[in-house]
Amino acid sequence: EDKINNVARVLAFGALKFEMVKVSGEKVITFDMDKALQFEGFTAAYIQYTYARIQSLKRKGEKTKTSNVDFQYLKENKEKEISLFLGRFNEVVKVAGETYQPSEVARYLYELAQTFNEYYHTTQIINAEGGENVKHARLELAQAVGQVIENGLKLLGVGVVEEM
């Protein structure tokens, strides 16, 4: 019961905060709780769910974890796209700070979550063809996405949950 209450609290506060910061400063905010709590679209819940999904992958993948990860096994176009996307995080944060627009970070996180979810739905991660090396590289890529999502949401004052 405590776990359920904690998840509900994190999602509710996340929805409120995210709805405030996802809109650029010069626009009027119209808050709709039903839309804010949807698990699809430009919402905190969608991004938080992506984070929780990645944590689930991490738990499943820990059974065969290795310390030697070779990223040259990431050969899919989406894997390259995600890698490049991750590389933009620092610049997005810098621009958001310089322009006082946290909406830049919110938009980036939403687009990162979309890109990862497209990848997740089309690519085997835990049961990757190509063996353990591919699996471990994909798990590490997923973990990098999770870390950036967590960092970005924290910058926006939005919490994350390990499970939903």
Side-chain angles (χ1 to χ4, degrees), residues 39-52:
F39 286 94
E40 54 191 41
F42 190 16
T43 65
Y46 176 74
I47 298 166
Q48 290 167 314
Y49 180 74
T50 302
Y51 177 83

Side-chain angles (χ1 to χ4, degrees), residues 7-84:
V7 169
R9 185 182 54 75
V10 170
L11 292 178
F13 283 124
L16 288 167
K17 292 175 183 180
F18 193 80
E19 290 298 307
M20 299 294 190
V21 298
K22 79 177 192 181
V23 179
S24 64
E26 63 275 354
K27 293 191 178 179
V28 174
I29 298 170
T30 305
F31 184 77
D32 180 337
M33 184 58 104
D34 291 332
K35 284 184 180 180
L37 289 173
Q38 289 181 353
F39 286 94
E40 54 191 41
F42 190 16
T43 65
Y46 176 74
I47 298 166
Q48 290 167 314
Y49 180 74
T50 302
Y51 177 83
R53 171 178 278 164
I54 291 168
Q55 298 317 298
S56 174
L57 285 171
K58 178 183 176 183
R59 287 187 299 275
K60 291 176 185 173
E62 281 182 346
K63 296 172 187 156
T64 60
K65 191 171 181 173
T66 180
S67 60
N68 299 326
V69 176
D70 191 345
F71 293 105
Q72 72 177 335
Y73 289 100
L74 299 177
K75 297 181 181 191
E76 300 292 325
N77 287 335
K78 248 333 168 194
E79 292 164 342
K80 293 174 186 171
E81 183 181 347
I82 291 170
S83 297
L84 292 171

